[in-house]
Amino acid sequence: MARDILVTSALPYANGATHLGHMLEHIQTDIWVRFQKQRGHNCIAVCGDDAHGTPIMLKARDGGVSPEELIAGVSAERQRDFADFHVVYDKYHSTHSDENRELSSAIYNTLKAAGHITSRTIKQAFDPEQQMFLPDRFIRGECPRCGTADQYGDACEACGATYQPTELGNPVSVLSGATPVERESEHYFFQLADFETFLRDWTRSDHLQEAITRKLDEWFTAGLRDWDISRDAPYFGFKIPGTEDKYFYVWLDAPIGYMAAFKALVDERDDLSFDAFWNPDSQAELYHFIGKDIVYFHALFWPAMLEGAGYRTPTAIHAHGFVTVNGEKMSKSRGTFIKARTWLDHVEPEFLRYYFAAKLTHRVEDLDLNFDDFMARINSDLVGKYVNIASRSANFITKRFDGRLADALDRPELAQRFADAGEAIAEHYEARRYAQAIRAIMALADEANAYVAERAPWQLAKEDGREAELQQICTTALELFRQLTLYLKPVLPATAERAEAFLQIAPLTWADLKTPLLDHTIAKFKPLLRRVEQPAIDKMIEASKEDLAAAAPAAEPQAPVVEQAAAADTENSQDDDTIDITDFAKVDLRVARVVAADHVEGADKLLKLTLDVGPLGQRQVFAGIKSAYAPETLEGRHVALVANLAPRKMRFGVSEGMVLAAGDSPHVLSPDDGAKPGDRIK
């Protein structure tokens, strides 16, 4: 019986380019949706841009455009990226839409009428230099729970704690580097604790992965707090009904964007009903695919909002981990923070779809993109196994039999066993065990290749009187290829389409496993996929570094200051003294490349830099630039080093020099790309 299924991916934030981290989720979602459609179900996928918030407002201001212009440009680019990766949504919308405004206001008013919204005056962080209240993610400091430094103002990436920005230790404004001050403002709150009984039951009722349920237990133990759903002007978003200068916090209207996208689709189609999918008694299924970092909003706030507003709750929420590259966090300096478009410019998009599928499980695990493994797997599995079956058989059919397949199989029992494997493979896809599905499919591909090698049609073609046998063997091989294509189609939709054109058949569905392809004319075989080679990977990585260089902001036109790490380790400081050219000439300034950058345990302002200074060897320098840089953004970068400064022993270790920086943030000064480590700066 056909199922009614609505699927969403988390809405990507509309202030930056699509990268491989985004693609993991959208590829995972698209595979599942394509599988469901291939099984004959009414599966609808919607998504859109998360388009509100202070970051978008500020980026638009800096770019000299309106927020509406900014998000429109990002949306167009994002949809091109998704389309070129063969990710298809029935509706791709935006949270900045009339549908979302209406739904957000209606849900808020319903929750307020039911007594789940309260207001009170709070103290919040205010940037005295920018003259604005600071969003949570524009403040960084020490986690109030575990003490980890350089954490966002709403959640700790180290321990997972959530908190108010005012609870951070040693907070700084990301915008100006200034220490935020506290100011009072009236805010509106959603009383999450009103739904504690409901949420305890809901989170333990197979709606979530086990690991997520365990994580949520920590928040129940800590106690469910009221959720601040308002933000002060200036803000890009929807004004809260009945207020003049208060706006819905982006996380209030973002998940409602799922409903809004579906409502926009309903308005375009006559065969869909909004209520049939969103009423509390709906028999349709609702699934969200999200990253593990936004579970708190999706698994607590979102179902509570839906319950309180009289809508159905999700059937299940599927969380995934992050993408790492070659075993490490994606790095701009190493060229492994790869944009979707950069990948598309150098490497076949379906290769990424296949590699992700080959490693994705139903668990909340990070996925590592190892390029050596990637090339080996693509070339072995797709070119050496899958495509090879057709390329070794098709030409005999074309040349010897005018493209006509035999009316019987050489090994019907083998083809039946391939067809019988369909249910197990379908179960893997259904449960998002893509890696197991791929392993099962490739095991069949191995069997198909072993069959072709055993029957050796190239040998039979040399023997007289064995034409019928040759035709049946090649027909059997192509039937096995057809079934493998069917199984791989959710992962490789474009390749499957080319294979269908070669076989001259209608789009493959799971029902086609019942009947083998016999007594049928095929087209001339053309290569379906080509090997991936190391130069393509190298060029992509290099292009990613170039993307970073092109996007890097210029240093502000301020006079350079010498930033000495030792100053951060002592309470004593000396007044600046005027020096003459003779004194300045004693300073040995050298180009150095940052080999590694790390946090310093127990230090609020310091990063430990390992520097390559060419013929002078490596140096360790402690630099007070933590407020301006995450460590991974510095690795591979050129800096200006005072190389002849006497080493200074600090409680964190020995600092063997100092780097140059400008401004209060401060911005590290970087020599041109043509400079080499050890070059003297004159």
Side-chain angles (χ1 to χ4, degrees), residues 418-494:
F418 270 49
D420 292 343
E423 283 309 305
I425 292 171
E427 289 175 8
H428 290 319
Y429 274 126
E430 177 72 38
R432 306 173 330 283
R433 298 189 298 262
Y434 298 168
Q436 287 178 259
I438 295 298
R439 282 198 295 272
I441 295 167
M442 284 302 118
L444 294 176
D446 285 334
E447 287 191 52
N449 278 288
Y451 164 75
V452 174
E454 173 197 343
R455 300 296 279 139
W458 49 88
Q459 293 294 342
L460 285 181
K462 300 175 184 178
E463 302 178 21
D464 295 333
R466 305 190 70 175
E467 292 294 303
E469 188 178 358
L470 174 64
Q471 187 181 22
Q472 288 184 355
I473 290 170
C474 293
T475 298
T476 301
L478 290 174
E479 167 60 15
L480 302 181
F481 171 78
R482 182 186 74 98
Q483 293 184 54
L484 292 172
T485 300
L486 187 156
Y487 295 146
L488 287 169
K489 187 175 180 178
V491 180
L492 305 175

Side-chain angles (χ1 to χ4, degrees), residues 2 113 127 302 315 470 476 495 524 605 635 669:
D127 188 321
W302 178 229
T315 306
L470 174 64
T476 301
T495 299
K524 183 179 179 181
K605 301 178 180 179
E635 294 177 2
L669 302 185

Side-chain angles (χ1 to χ4, degrees), residues 114-135:
H116 301 306
I117 304 293
T118 187
S119 65
R120 60 178 178 268
T121 298
I122 65 168
K123 293 180 179 180
Q124 61 179 134
F126 185 84
D127 188 321
E129 294 188 12
Q130 293 290 321
Q131 286 294 300
M132 62 180 290
F133 287 104
L134 289 168

Side-chain angles (χ1 to χ4, degrees), residues 201-219:
D201 178 65
W202 190 86
T203 57
R204 290 168 173 79
S205 303
D206 296 325
H207 300 295
L208 307 169
Q209 292 131 300
E210 186 177 336
I212 299 302
T213 298
R214 290 197 303 269
K215 184 64 181 178
L216 293 178
D217 283 342
E218 298 178 15
W219 285 314

Side-chain angles (χ1 to χ4, degrees), residues 9 61 229 239 259 302 305 307 352-353 379 423 427 465 531 535 569 580 599:
S9 298
R61 184 186 68 184
I229 60 170
K239 196 172 288 186
M259 305 173 74
W302 178 229
M305 285 169 54
E307 176 72 8
L352 185 67
R353 291 178 64 103
N379 293 336
E423 283 309 305
E427 289 175 8
R531 291 170 55 86
D569 198 44
D580 60 27
H599 293 293

Side-chain angles (χ1 to χ4, degrees), residues 341-634:
R341 185 52 52 185
T342 308
W343 182 286
L344 290 165
D345 288 342
H346 296 88
V347 183
E348 163 64 49
E350 285 193 310
F351 290 169
L352 185 67
R353 291 178 64 103
Y354 181 80
Y355 191 76
F356 278 170
K359 302 192 77 172
L360 271 166
T361 72
H362 64 293
R363 296 184 291 273
V364 190
E365 299 174 331
D366 291 348
L367 186 151
D368 185 51
L369 171 57
N370 180 284
F371 283 122
D372 289 338
D373 179 55
F374 167 78
M375 288 189 295
R377 193 183 294 259
I378 295 301
N379 293 336
S380 173
D381 288 6
L382 296 186
V383 181
K385 295 180 182 179
Y386 165 61
V387 173
N388 193 47
I389 299 165
S391 65
R392 298 167 82 187
S393 310
N395 287 338
F396 294 112
I397 295 293
T398 303
K399 294 177 180 178
R400 296 292 189 96
F401 308 104
D402 295 325
R404 194 74 182 174
L405 298 175
D407 58 6
L409 296 175
D410 173 63
R411 294 267 181 90
E413 72 283 359
L414 178 60
Q416 185 59 50
R417 195 154 57 77
F418 270 49
D420 292 343
E423 283 309 305
I425 292 171
E427 289 175 8
H428 290 319
Y429 274 126
E430 177 72 38
R432 306 173 330 283
R433 298 189 298 262
Y434 298 168
Q436 287 178 259
I438 295 298
R439 282 198 295 272
I441 295 167
M442 284 302 118
L444 294 176
D446 285 334
E447 287 191 52
N449 278 288
Y451 164 75
V452 174
E454 173 197 343
R455 300 296 279 139
W458 49 88
Q459 293 294 342
L460 285 181
K462 300 175 184 178
E463 302 178 21
D464 295 333
R466 305 190 70 175
E467 292 294 303
E469 188 178 358
L470 174 64
Q471 187 181 22
Q472 288 184 355
I473 290 170
C474 293
T475 298
T476 301
L478 290 174
E479 167 60 15
L480 302 181
F481 171 78
R482 182 186 74 98
Q483 293 184 54
L484 292 172
T485 300
L486 187 156
Y487 295 146
L488 287 169
K489 187 175 180 178
V491 180
L492 305 175
T495 299
E497 187 175 342
R498 292 193 294 271
E500 289 162 350
F502 151 62
L503 294 173
Q504 299 193 141
I505 56 176
L508 288 163
T509 70
W510 232 259
D512 292 319
L513 291 171
K514 299 176 182 177
T515 307
L517 190 64
L518 300 171
D519 195 23
H520 173 86
T521 300
I522 63 172
K524 183 179 179 181
F525 179 79
K526 298 178 182 178
L528 298 175
L529 292 169
R530 298 188 183 279
R531 291 170 55 86
V532 61
E533 303 292 349
Q534 185 66 50
I537 301 297
D538 294 340
K539 289 178 182 178
M540 178 176 65
I541 292 174
E542 193 60 34
S544 296
K545 293 178 183 177
E546 292 170 0
D547 287 346
L548 173 65
E556 295 188 5
Q558 295 174 283
V561 297
V562 176
E563 193 289 312
Q564 184 174 3
D569 198 44
T570 177
E571 295 180 359
N572 299 320
S573 61
Q574 297 180 348
D575 295 333
D576 291 337
D577 293 321
T578 302
I579 63 173
D580 60 27
I581 191 64
T582 304
D583 293 324
F584 184 75
K586 297 176 182 178
V587 179
D588 183 14
L589 292 178
R590 299 283 184 137
V591 175
R593 183 175 62 86
V594 181
V595 176
D598 300 286
H599 293 293
V600 179
E601 186 175 353
D604 300 332
K605 301 178 180 179
L606 299 182
L607 292 179
K608 183 176 75 172
L609 306 180
T610 302
L611 305 176
D612 173 15
V613 202
L616 300 184
Q618 287 196 347
R619 299 283 183 90
Q620 174 178 276
V621 172
F622 291 93
I625 55 176
K626 188 172 184 176
S627 63
Y629 296 96
E632 62 271 14
T633 65
L634 291 168

Side-chain angles (χ1 to χ4, degrees), residues 40-88:
H41 300 308
N42 176 33
C43 186
I44 298 164
V46 299
C47 192
D49 288 307
D50 183 1
H52 288 155
T54 302
I56 287 173
M57 178 186 73
L58 294 175
K59 185 168 184 177
R61 184 186 68 184
D62 292 344
V65 298
S66 68
E68 289 82 1
E69 290 173 314
L70 173 67
I71 62 178
V74 170
S75 181
E77 178 182 323
R78 180 112 53 216
Q79 291 185 65
R80 284 194 298 270
D81 291 340
F82 287 163
D84 288 348
F85 271 102
H86 313 295
V87 171
V88 177

